Amino acid sequence: MDTRGRLNKDNSPWKVASASAAASTLSEPPRRTQESRTRTRALGLPMEQSAASPEPPGPRPVLGRDSVQVPDDQDFRSFRSECEAEAGWNLTYSKAGVSVWVQAVEMDRTLHKIKCRMECRDVPAETLYDVLHDIEYRKKWDSNVIETFDIARLTVNADVGYYSWRCPKPLKNRDVITLRSWLPMGTDYIIMNYSVKHPKYPPRKDLVRAVSIQTGYLIQSTGPKSCVITYLAQVDPKGSLPKWVVNKSSQFLAPKAMKKMYKACVKYPEWKQKHQPHFKPWLHPEQSSLPSLALSELSVQHADSLENIDESSVAESREDRTGSAGGEGSDDDTSLT
């Protein structure tokens, strides 16, 4: 789940110059071939501007996506702009280097955007990038995960995967199938995803199939051993959620998840040394054993094609109110060894 390039002569991974260049390394063509002209920030060069095709002033809308496409350079620029935007966001939490903003989508009040930002003073950007990619390690530190696995790869910087997670009790647990893509840009990184349908992984009866309209991470290096991560999510949970869930997500669950991620990053180098230290297929694509998949096998997962679950009247469980359970996970990180 990265922009993994071929190996250089010194066995260090080449960084793909652009999303379009990555897409062109396998059979699927980039969405707009003119983007291949762009030498992106991965090489430390400025983005080209075309007089005939000016860059749009704001993030590109993702709600109207009609077909499955691997994100290109403009999509990555748009996602970065959204992560850095301030207008229209309401700050709901700011403490100890972690900030959370929320934004309601006017055309559908059941949709909410949440943005979290965290300063990581003792974690290099590349370590955080590795942690977000390493599925085996995620099973150790993410106490909300029920099941997660990669399904297939689309290009050297895009694949399809499955993720299911625990929701605060007594809500039903959710799952999602996403197309995930990634792009290193010099010392910064982006990982982002959106929901797709895979014929072999239909919705399950015991879980509610949620829809990721656009979710991802922007990791920005601030020094040799420090970085800032911004998490941006626009998700349709497929249901009318009670107000306490929305409030709890922004006031408690999101900050706690970010702090838990930070702890996992601090412990990752030691853990990785004991668990296939040289296996990083997100940096070295030749290590990947995932089968290839054609985009034509996938279709966009539209929210209106899924069952809508009304949980707006569900009350928070007593044990959740006391903070003892409910998908928040324990702060115990003894498993990260």
Side-chain angles (χ1 to χ4, degrees):
M1 303 176 164
D2 61 1
T3 307
R4 357 187 196 213
R6 302 182 183 86
L7 290 183
N8 212 334
K9 292 182 179 179
D10 60 358
N11 288 329
S12 62
W14 274 342
K15 290 185 177 178
V16 176
S18 69
S20 298
S24 65
T25 59
L26 290 183
S27 58
E28 296 295 340
R31 189 188 315 172
R32 288 185 298 277
T33 55
Q34 64 263 35
E35 288 289 340
S36 63
R37 295 182 288 107
T38 303
R39 304 285 291 176
T40 66
R41 291 171 292 268
L43 294 182
L45 297 177
M47 308 295 281
E48 288 184 10
Q49 298 295 323
S50 170
S53 301
E55 185 176 343
R60 183 194 307 193
V62 296
L63 296 176
R65 195 186 299 270
D66 294 322
S67 61
V68 175
Q69 299 163 333
V70 174
D72 60 17
D73 297 336
Q74 185 177 333
D75 291 309
F76 281 101
R77 289 198 302 270
S78 178
F79 180 80
R80 181 171 191 144
S81 296
E82 184 80 350
C83 286
E84 296 175 340
E86 297 181 1
W89 289 92
N90 300 316
L91 182 67
T92 61
Y93 180 97
S94 182
K95 185 178 179 181
V98 178
S99 299
V100 182
W101 297 263
V102 295
Q103 181 184 82
V105 180
E106 292 297 332
M107 65 184 223
D108 187 341
R109 300 297 294 183
T110 66
L111 296 180
H112 291 267
K113 288 185 181 180
I114 186 169
K115 179 161 59 177
C116 309
R117 185 170 296 145
M118 177 175 63
E119 300 173 6
C120 303
R121 297 182 180 178
D122 302 312
V123 176
E126 57 268 25
T127 297
L128 184 44
Y129 183 64
D130 287 348
V131 168
L132 292 174
H133 274 295
D134 200 321
I135 279 187
E136 293 307 312
Y137 189 57
R138 190 178 193 102
K139 296 173 183 177
K140 295 290 185 180
W141 68 266
D142 185 354
S143 56
N144 290 330
V145 66
I146 299 174
E147 186 179 16
T148 182
F149 53 87
D150 296 331
I151 297 172
R153 69 169 182 163
L154 302 171
T155 70
V156 293
N157 76 318
D159 60 16
V160 179
Y162 174 86
Y163 181 79
S164 58
W165 70 95
R166 299 178 182 89
C167 291
K169 296 178 181 178
L171 300 181
K172 294 182 179 180
N173 295 331
R174 262 70 174 172
D175 72 348
V176 68
I177 302 286
T178 61
L179 186 158
R180 184 166 68 160
S181 55
W182 51 89
L183 186 68
M185 301 171 295
T187 57
D188 297 344
Y189 305 86
I190 286 179
I191 304 173
M192 61 185 186
N193 71 60
Y194 68 91
S195 282
V196 295
K197 289 194 287 188
H198 190 292
K200 294 184 179 180
Y201 299 92
R204 292 167 44 170
K205 293 183 179 180
D206 59 328
L207 297 168
V208 176
R209 177 61 52 89
V211 176
S212 168
I213 298 170
Q214 186 171 55
T215 302
Y217 302 89
L218 168 64
I219 307 168
Q220 297 171 292
S221 177
T222 56
K225 295 183 179 180
S226 63
C227 64
V228 171
I229 180 171
T230 302
Y231 168 72
L232 176 67
Q234 183 175 357
V235 177
D236 186 340
K238 284 317 297 170
S240 300
L241 297 179
K243 188 175 181 179
W244 66 263
V245 172
V246 178
N247 291 338
K248 189 166 188 175
S249 295
S250 60
Q251 296 286 347
F252 182 75
L253 298 181
K256 187 170 184 177
M258 296 294 276
K259 293 172 184 176
K260 183 171 290 186
M261 182 192 300
Y262 172 77
K263 289 182 179 180
C265 290
V266 171
K267 292 178 175 289
Y268 181 70
E270 180 181 357
W271 180 90
K272 189 61 176 173
Q273 282 300 315
K274 301 174 184 177
H275 301 82
Q276 296 182 289
H278 302 297
F279 182 73
K280 294 184 178 183
W282 52 93
L283 297 178
H284 309 293
E286 73 282 356
Q287 295 178 346
S288 175
S289 59
L290 289 176
S292 296
L293 183 70
L295 286 178
S296 58
E297 305 244 354
L298 302 172
S299 56
V300 176
Q301 179 65 80
H302 293 293
D304 55 10
S305 68
L306 295 169
E307 180 183 4
N308 199 62
I309 308 297
D310 187 359
E311 296 176 297
S312 58
S313 61
V314 174
E316 186 175 13
S317 68
R318 181 176 179 180
E319 60 181 354
D320 256 21
R321 286 197 300 270
T322 60
S324 60
E328 297 159 17
S330 168
D331 281 328
D332 179 19
D333 53 7
T334 55
S335 63
L336 303 182
T337 58

